[in-house]
Amino acid sequence: MTTHDTTIAPVRIGNASGFYGDRFSAMREMLDGGELDFVTGDYLAELTMLILGRDRLRDPSRGYASTFLRQMRECLALAQERGVRIVANAGGLNPKGLATDLGELAADLGVTVAIAHVDGDDLVDRADELGLGTPLTANAYLGAFGIAAALDAGADIVVTGRITDASLAVGPAASHFGWRHDDLDALAGAVAAGHVIECGTQATGGNYAFFTEIDDLSRPGFPIAEVAADGSSVITKHPGTGGAVTVGTVTAQLLYEITGPRYLGPDVTTRMDSIALEQVGTDRVRISGVRGEAPPEDLKVSLNMLAGFRNEVTMVLTGLDIDAKARLVTEQFESSLATKPETLTWELSRTDRADGTTEAQSSALLRVIGKSRDADVVGRHFSAAAVELALASYPGFTMTAPPGKGAPYGVFEPGYVPADAVHHRVTLPDGSVTVIEPSPLRGPSTPDAPEPASPVRDWGPTTPAPLGLIAGARSGDKGGSANIGVWVRDPEHYAWLEETLTVEALRRLLPETEHLRIARYRLRNLLAVNFVIEEILGRGVADNVRFDPQGKGLGEWLRSRVVDIPQRFEVI
């Protein structure tokens, strides 16, 4: 275990991308905004891997996030001038290709730069032998030590394929402080910091439940983690940028897309229930006390498969007799289909209101989605069946847009393989290749058991009011499941929340979850409970036809539901 030299200054790691498509100017903003040692960029998500897989099918030289290359054209010289090193997972399915193109770009710009890339995560050619089937993409989530090895070898830029998002920050910290596999608490602390900054401005007020409390959200600044030798950190942002960094914004991001108290990773299992947060200044939140355990034996694998083709039509129903209009057009449409798709889903959203003062207020939306393995079944014939009803159906027939020809869609599934079956490789700036061995500490993971409900005490008189008056929430997708992290800002409020917001209460408040498996976990240090709702998103964002396909609004729906809040809390 490394002896932590507290005299070494913290390493300043800024993030400039939370997803493929994030603010293009963020890279320059981070480089211009103040002192940094590293800038990281997260470009990959489960859906992104599917998009890149389809790109690679069309052109084997593609498969990486081209936005990053364009950002480097603008910022490479500036980064070198400022002495800032860059780590990004923009390599996607083709880290080598991105590294090669970066080298050519640097030569064109006349900039001398040392480039390394991390790969070995791509298992698609071995998927069948590893028991993963025949997916379009199959990528293991690698850890941080490949990045650290590249930085130790002098790389100015490290591009990777599928690594865990937090590893973008853990790798630079491990290199800076010389951490080893047995520095579990330090690694866990860096994972917590990396998890906070990985989604960009979600840590500085973006998508924040109490957003009205933030003075300037017109253009939130991107976050920075100042990571210390022991793994503790301070989350902040550049001075003068929008948004805010508070215990609340950091809590919200810590709860994003997690399960129970144990946050499994390839290098360490991070105990989310050990995290302590403290506001230590304006836009400065300290993360400390994070405990780490041995990582699991297996690595998670992101699997994407092409599942078929889909098409959809949205019809507008206005005024009276909405239900009757919906029944009529449903019967007409289905009887007009020469071949019925394997899956045909109807969804009526009653966005209308009685005696609406605008046409929009008087209208509902009826959506039909068809899925088939045969492109023709949901292609032009599907669209024609809707168009042909234009003069023959309910009064006021119209659609939100002309129907299209349909498009391929994919499904996501997680897989697992032994860590030592994955060849984690680093190609260093001199062209040599280093193989990164998995953690020697890995072992069977201890599952988090959902905790039983607490006995309910008498909280005195209550008033019916939206839960969101007292609680914040953040939700998101993990394949076909979704999580909702709910937190409060007062210990007494937490005692009430812990007792009141049970799995049964969640089912009542969110009826769509009534027949689904739900687990609840307590995170007392964060004054939070986290729910994991299985299969609410079907087989992932690219497959499911739910109104909110990534579950991003589940938390806000929950906050809008009325519960009995104790009057003693004085929030009403």
Side-chain angles (χ1 to χ4, degrees):
M1 182 177 294
T2 304
T3 301
H4 300 133
D5 186 348
T6 57
T7 64
I8 301 177
V11 58
R12 285 176 56 87
I13 305 168
N15 171 278
S17 177
F19 68 100
Y20 191 10
D22 209 344
R23 189 190 308 168
F24 183 85
S25 62
M27 181 72 72
R28 176 169 286 278
E29 291 171 18
M30 293 303 287
L31 292 171
D32 279 336
E35 293 297 318
L36 290 174
D37 299 302
F38 293 90
V39 170
T40 66
D42 180 11
Y43 295 81
L44 302 183
E46 291 157 358
L47 179 61
T48 309
M49 300 303 284
L50 175 63
I51 294 169
L52 295 178
R54 288 167 55 183
D55 286 348
R56 186 171 63 176
L57 278 179
R58 290 189 289 266
D59 181 351
S61 69
R62 298 175 66 184
Y64 63 74
S66 58
T67 300
F68 177 74
L69 192 63
R70 291 190 285 116
Q71 287 174 312
M72 288 295 94
R73 178 172 292 280
E74 182 180 301
C75 297
L76 183 58
L78 178 61
Q80 287 295 94
E81 176 187 322
R82 299 283 169 86
V84 177
R85 302 163 85 180
I86 295 171
V87 180
N89 61 14
L93 302 177
N94 190 8
K96 180 179 180 181
L98 177 55
T100 299
D101 289 349
L102 278 170
E104 294 175 356
L105 173 63
D108 289 344
L109 297 174
V111 177
T112 301
V113 61
I115 301 169
H117 71 271
V118 178
D119 63 8
D121 59 296
D122 195 342
L123 306 178
V124 71
D125 292 337
R126 302 169 54 209
D128 191 45
E129 70 174 83
L130 292 171
L132 302 173
T134 55
L136 173 65
T137 67
N139 295 81
Y141 287 82
L142 303 180
F145 282 95
I147 294 170
L151 296 171
D152 290 346
D156 300 306
I157 300 178
V158 184
V159 293
T160 78
R162 179 72 277 183
I163 61 172
T164 65
D165 299 342
S167 291
L168 292 165
V170 180
S175 173
H176 186 78
F177 296 114
W179 295 338
R180 301 181 308 207
H181 285 293
D182 57 355
D183 289 301
L184 293 175
D185 290 347
L187 291 169
V191 166
H195 182 56
V196 171
I197 70 171
E198 72 191 33
C199 287
T201 54
Q202 279 197 168
T204 60
N207 301 346
Y208 181 52
F210 301 110
F211 70 96
T212 57
E213 299 177 2
I214 298 177
D215 291 336
D216 177 17
L217 263 180
S218 58
R219 196 174 177 85
F222 276 69
I224 299 165
E226 299 175 349
V227 183
D230 64 354
S232 64
S233 64
V234 171
I235 306 300
T236 185
K237 63 186 184 69
H238 283 319
T241 56
V245 178
T246 68
V247 168
T249 67
V250 172
T251 297
Q253 181 54 29
L254 283 170
L255 294 174
Y256 185 59
E257 295 182 346
I258 64 168
T259 53
R262 289 178 169 85
Y263 189 66
L264 304 182
D267 300 317
V268 64
T269 295
T270 302
R271 291 299 303 244
M272 304 298 284
D273 55 353
S274 67
I275 296 173
L277 301 180
E278 179 186 4
Q279 193 83 41
V280 293
T282 302
D283 294 323
R284 294 183 65 80
V285 172
R286 177 176 171 79
I287 301 176
S288 62
V290 188
R291 306 295 294 178
E293 297 175 347
E297 296 173 310
D298 294 340
L299 295 183
K300 184 178 178 180
V301 182
S302 172
L303 301 171
N304 282 287
M305 288 147 281
L306 289 177
F309 301 84
R310 64 184 282 177
N311 200 352
E312 67 178 77
V313 178
T314 301
M315 305 167 198
V316 182
L317 315 178
T318 304
L320 304 175
D321 306 317
I322 295 295
D323 289 332
K325 289 171 179 174
R327 285 194 298 271
L328 172 62
V329 75
T330 298
E331 293 167 3
Q332 290 177 314
F333 182 85
E334 292 194 11
S335 65
S336 298
L337 293 171
T339 304
K340 194 170 182 178
E342 291 95 303
T343 302
L344 194 64
T345 304
W346 292 89
E347 181 182 84
L348 176 61
S349 298
R350 294 300 302 264
T351 53
D352 58 303
R353 67 181 70 172
D355 196 24
T357 57
T358 67
E359 184 175 344
Q361 291 177 358
S362 299
S363 299
L365 299 177
L366 179 64
R367 184 167 163 246
V368 58
I369 305 100
K371 295 180 182 178
S372 176
R373 293 191 174 275
D374 186 337
D376 290 336
V377 170
V378 291
R380 60 185 180 87
H381 298 299
F382 185 90
S383 298
V387 173
E388 289 170 2
L389 294 175
L391 305 180
S393 190
Y394 61 86
F397 181 99
T398 189
M399 295 178 285
T400 57
K405 60 183 180 180
Y409 74 96
V411 296
F412 167 84
E413 290 181 2
Y416 296 89
V417 297
D420 54 11
V422 178
H423 310 306
H424 184 173
R425 296 185 300 265
V426 186
T427 300
L428 303 174
D430 64 2
S432 62
V433 177
T434 296
V435 175
I436 305 299
E437 297 297 330
S439 171
L441 305 178
R442 64 192 188 280
S445 57
T446 303
D448 290 318
E451 299 183 42
S454 303
V456 178
R457 71 190 78 176
D458 181 4
W459 290 93
T462 61
T463 299
L467 176 64
L469 292 185
I470 192 172
R474 177 160 287 167
S475 57
D477 62 314
K478 273 299 177 187
S481 300
N483 88 297
I484 308 176
V486 186
W487 82 95
V488 291
R489 299 182 280 189
D490 180 284
E492 186 182 29
H493 296 177
Y494 178 68
W496 169 83
L497 180 76
E498 187 180 62
E499 294 175 11
T500 304
L501 196 58
T502 62
V503 169
E504 292 72 24
L506 186 78
R507 293 189 198 279
R508 290 194 302 270
L509 294 169
L510 305 184
E512 290 180 20
T513 69
E514 183 179 1
H515 302 295
L516 301 175
R517 291 191 298 272
I518 303 174
R520 189 188 85 149
Y521 304 95
R522 296 184 178 100
L523 297 168
R524 292 188 177 92
N525 278 15
L526 300 178
L527 302 182
V529 293
N530 188 52
F531 295 92
V532 179
I533 308 168
E534 296 186 28
E535 299 179 1
I536 190 170
L537 305 179
R539 298 181 70 188
V541 58
D543 170 65
N544 90 82
V545 298
R546 194 177 176 277
F547 175 75
D548 174 19
Q550 291 183 283
K552 304 300 185 185
L554 283 169
E556 288 303 293
W557 180 25
L558 178 61
R559 293 183 69 238
S560 74
R561 297 308 310 271
V562 173
V563 297
D564 293 324
I565 297 179
Q567 293 177 6
R568 63 199 273 186
F569 292 169
E570 299 182 351
V571 297
I572 301 168

